[in-house]
Amino acid sequence: MADDNCAVGVDIGGTKMIVSFVSSQGQVIVEKETPTGSKAGPDEVIRTIVTEVERMRGRSAEKPHSLGVGVAGQVDERGVVRFAPNLDWRDVSLGPPLAGALGLPVRVVNDVRASTIGEWRFGAARGVRDMVCIRIGTGVGGGVVSGDRLLIGDSNAAGEIGHMTVVAGGRKCTCPNSGCLEAYVGGWAIAQRAREAAKRSPAEAAVLLRRAQVKASGLDAGTLWQLASDGDPFAQRLISETRGYLAAGLVAIANIFNPRLIVAGGGVVGSTGQFFEEALAAARPQILPSIGESLRSTRAQLGANAVAIGAAAWAHEVRRG
Ligand SMILES: [Zn+2]
C-alpha cells in the first residue's frame, strides 16, 4: 500500500478513546482502544492521542497523510470543540495542537457526522449520493449527504435532525427548544415519558413493572419494546406514541432532504426489533409521493469503531477535495 493511502481516525468518547489507521478503502490497518481520561483535562487527552499515533507510526509501514477526530459535541471549522458535555469541555482547541505535535493536517468533526461519513464512504450507504443517517441512542443525532457531499452548514453544525420540532410547544428538550424529536424518541425522553405515564396510570404500570421486574426508572426503550411485543397494553401505548413521533420526524427528513437511503443506528434502534422500520412504514403515506417512491432504509453497518472509521474517512475526503 502506498504511503498516502492511510489516515488516522480518532474517536474521543466519554470514557474510552479509539485510535485507528484506516486505509482509503475503509480497512482498519491497526487500532488501539484506551481510556479517554478526560478528568485529567484536554491537554492530557491530546498527549495520549499524540503518544498513541506516534507509537503506531513507529510500528506500522503505513504513514498517514492526515488525521480526523470525532467528538460528541459541537465543533467549529477551526477544530475547536465548542461544547462537549460528556467530556465537560468548553472551547477546547483540539485540531491545532494535534496538527502541531504530529505534523499532520487535522480535521475535527462531530461524532454522529463522523459515523455518517463512515456509513456513506465505507458502510451501509457506500455509493449512495443522497442519504441521511439517523442515530437514536440516549440522544438523537444525524448527518446528511446531499449530491455526494456532506452537508456542513454555516457554522459546521448542519444535520442536527434530533432537534427538529415535531410538537410545537411540546416537551422540553436538552437544547433551548421544546418539542424536539429527541425530546420524544431519544432514550432519555422515552424513559422520562414512561415514568410520567406510570405515575398517571399506576395500576396499569404496576402490572408491567412486575412483569419486567424493574422499577419505573428502569423502563428503557428495549424493555418497553419487549413488553409491548408480549402484549402489555401500557407498553404498547407508549411504543405506539413513540412510533408516531418518529414517523413525524421521518416525514420531515424525507420531504426536506429527498434521500434515497435513510441509515438508522444507535442503541434505541438496535434494542427495539423492527420499531424503526415500522415508524418509516407509518410515515410513508404522509411523504410526498415523488420523494417516497425511491426512499429506502437500512441499518448502520459499522460497529463500535464507526466514529473512528468515519473520522478517518473525513480526513480522506477532505484530502480528495
Ligand atoms: Zn432539542
Side-chain angles (χ1 to χ4, degrees), residues 197-211 232-234 237:
K199 263 191 204 152
R200 282 196 307 272
S201 319
E204 215 182 351
V207 177
L208 167 133
L209 295 172
R210 223 178 9 255
R211 285 180 59 197
D232 183 276
F234 177 89
R237 196 163 60 239

Short mmCIF file of all heavy atoms in Angstrom, two decimals, residues 197-211 232-234 237:
data_model
loop_
_atom_site.label_atom_id
_atom_site.label_comp_id
_atom_site.label_asym_id
_atom_site.label_seq_id
_atom_site.Cartn_x
_atom_site.Cartn_y
_atom_site.Cartn_z
N ALA A 197 -45.92 8.40 32.49
CA ALA A 197 -47.12 7.60 32.18
C ALA A 197 -47.42 6.64 33.33
O ALA A 197 -48.58 6.39 33.66
CB ALA A 197 -46.92 6.84 30.87
N ALA A 198 -46.36 6.11 33.94
CA ALA A 198 -46.54 5.18 35.08
C ALA A 198 -47.18 5.90 36.25
O ALA A 198 -47.98 5.32 36.99
CB ALA A 198 -45.19 4.58 35.48
N LYS A 199 -46.83 7.18 36.42
CA LYS A 199 -47.44 7.97 37.50
C LYS A 199 -48.92 8.22 37.22
O LYS A 199 -49.75 8.23 38.13
CB LYS A 199 -46.72 9.31 37.63
CG LYS A 199 -45.67 9.31 38.71
CD LYS A 199 -45.18 10.73 38.98
CE LYS A 199 -43.79 10.67 39.59
NZ LYS A 199 -43.01 11.86 39.28
N ARG A 200 -49.23 8.46 35.94
CA ARG A 200 -50.62 8.74 35.56
C ARG A 200 -51.50 7.50 35.65
O ARG A 200 -52.68 7.59 35.95
CB ARG A 200 -50.67 9.30 34.13
CG ARG A 200 -50.29 10.76 34.01
CD ARG A 200 -50.74 11.33 32.67
NE ARG A 200 -50.27 10.55 31.55
CZ ARG A 200 -49.09 10.74 30.94
NH1 ARG A 200 -48.29 11.70 31.35
NH2 ARG A 200 -48.72 9.99 29.92
N SER A 201 -50.94 6.33 35.29
CA SER A 201 -51.73 5.09 35.30
C SER A 201 -51.04 4.06 36.19
O SER A 201 -50.51 3.07 35.68
CB SER A 201 -51.86 4.52 33.89
OG SER A 201 -52.09 5.52 32.95
N PRO A 202 -51.05 4.30 37.51
CA PRO A 202 -50.24 3.44 38.39
C PRO A 202 -50.67 1.97 38.37
O PRO A 202 -49.82 1.09 38.42
CB PRO A 202 -50.45 4.05 39.79
CG PRO A 202 -51.58 5.01 39.67
CD PRO A 202 -51.72 5.38 38.23
N ALA A 203 -51.98 1.71 38.26
CA ALA A 203 -52.43 0.32 38.31
C ALA A 203 -51.92 -0.45 37.08
O ALA A 203 -51.37 -1.55 37.19
CB ALA A 203 -53.96 0.27 38.36
N GLU A 204 -52.09 0.18 35.92
CA GLU A 204 -51.66 -0.46 34.67
C GLU A 204 -50.13 -0.63 34.66
O GLU A 204 -49.61 -1.66 34.24
CB GLU A 204 -52.06 0.44 33.51
CG GLU A 204 -52.46 -0.31 32.27
CD GLU A 204 -52.80 0.67 31.15
OE1 GLU A 204 -52.89 1.88 31.41
OE2 GLU A 204 -52.95 0.20 30.03
N ALA A 205 -49.45 0.40 35.15
CA ALA A 205 -47.99 0.35 35.15
C ALA A 205 -47.48 -0.70 36.13
O ALA A 205 -46.45 -1.34 35.87
CB ALA A 205 -47.43 1.72 35.52
N ALA A 206 -48.21 -0.90 37.25
CA ALA A 206 -47.76 -1.86 38.26
C ALA A 206 -47.66 -3.26 37.66
O ALA A 206 -46.72 -4.01 37.95
CB ALA A 206 -48.72 -1.83 39.45
N VAL A 207 -48.64 -3.61 36.81
CA VAL A 207 -48.62 -4.93 36.17
C VAL A 207 -47.36 -5.06 35.32
O VAL A 207 -46.64 -6.06 35.37
CB VAL A 207 -49.88 -5.10 35.27
CG1 VAL A 207 -49.85 -6.43 34.53
CG2 VAL A 207 -51.15 -4.96 36.10
N LEU A 208 -47.10 -4.02 34.56
CA LEU A 208 -45.94 -4.03 33.66
C LEU A 208 -44.63 -4.09 34.45
O LEU A 208 -43.74 -4.87 34.12
CB LEU A 208 -46.00 -2.78 32.78
CG LEU A 208 -44.75 -2.40 31.98
CD1 LEU A 208 -45.13 -2.09 30.55
CD2 LEU A 208 -44.06 -1.19 32.58
N LEU A 209 -44.54 -3.28 35.50
CA LEU A 209 -43.30 -3.24 36.26
C LEU A 209 -43.03 -4.58 36.93
O LEU A 209 -41.88 -5.02 37.02
CB LEU A 209 -43.35 -2.11 37.31
CG LEU A 209 -43.43 -0.70 36.73
CD1 LEU A 209 -43.68 0.34 37.82
CD2 LEU A 209 -42.15 -0.35 35.97
N ARG A 210 -44.10 -5.24 37.38
CA ARG A 210 -43.94 -6.56 38.00
C ARG A 210 -43.44 -7.56 36.97
O ARG A 210 -42.52 -8.32 37.22
CB ARG A 210 -45.29 -7.01 38.58
CG ARG A 210 -45.15 -7.63 39.95
CD ARG A 210 -46.43 -8.07 40.62
NE ARG A 210 -47.64 -8.06 39.84
CZ ARG A 210 -48.60 -7.14 39.97
NH1 ARG A 210 -48.46 -6.15 40.82
NH2 ARG A 210 -49.71 -7.22 39.26
N ARG A 211 -44.06 -7.51 35.79
CA ARG A 211 -43.67 -8.47 34.75
C ARG A 211 -42.22 -8.25 34.31
O ARG A 211 -41.48 -9.18 34.04
CB ARG A 211 -44.59 -8.32 33.53
CG ARG A 211 -45.96 -8.92 33.75
CD ARG A 211 -46.82 -8.77 32.54
NE ARG A 211 -46.22 -9.40 31.36
CZ ARG A 211 -46.60 -9.14 30.13
NH1 ARG A 211 -47.55 -8.25 29.90
NH2 ARG A 211 -46.05 -9.75 29.11
N ASP A 232 -48.39 -6.30 26.41
CA ASP A 232 -48.74 -5.41 27.52
C ASP A 232 -49.32 -4.09 26.98
O ASP A 232 -48.65 -3.39 26.20
CB ASP A 232 -47.50 -5.11 28.36
CG ASP A 232 -47.85 -4.25 29.55
OD1 ASP A 232 -47.91 -3.00 29.39
OD2 ASP A 232 -48.08 -4.81 30.63
N PRO A 233 -50.54 -3.73 27.37
CA PRO A 233 -51.18 -2.54 26.78
C PRO A 233 -50.49 -1.22 27.13
O PRO A 233 -50.43 -0.31 26.30
CB PRO A 233 -52.61 -2.56 27.36
CG PRO A 233 -52.61 -3.55 28.47
CD PRO A 233 -51.43 -4.45 28.29
N PHE A 234 -49.94 -1.12 28.36
CA PHE A 234 -49.25 0.11 28.78
C PHE A 234 -48.02 0.34 27.88
O PHE A 234 -47.81 1.43 27.34
CB PHE A 234 -48.83 -0.03 30.25
CG PHE A 234 -48.05 1.13 30.79
CD1 PHE A 234 -48.71 2.22 31.36
CD2 PHE A 234 -46.66 1.16 30.74
CE1 PHE A 234 -47.99 3.29 31.88
CE2 PHE A 234 -45.94 2.23 31.25
CZ PHE A 234 -46.60 3.29 31.81
N ARG A 237 -48.96 1.18 24.25
CA ARG A 237 -49.39 2.56 24.03
C ARG A 237 -48.17 3.48 23.91
O ARG A 237 -48.10 4.32 23.02
CB ARG A 237 -50.31 3.01 25.17
CG ARG A 237 -51.10 4.25 24.85
CD ARG A 237 -52.28 4.46 25.78
NE ARG A 237 -51.87 4.58 27.15
CZ ARG A 237 -52.26 3.77 28.15
NH1 ARG A 237 -53.11 2.79 27.91
NH2 ARG A 237 -51.83 3.93 29.38
#
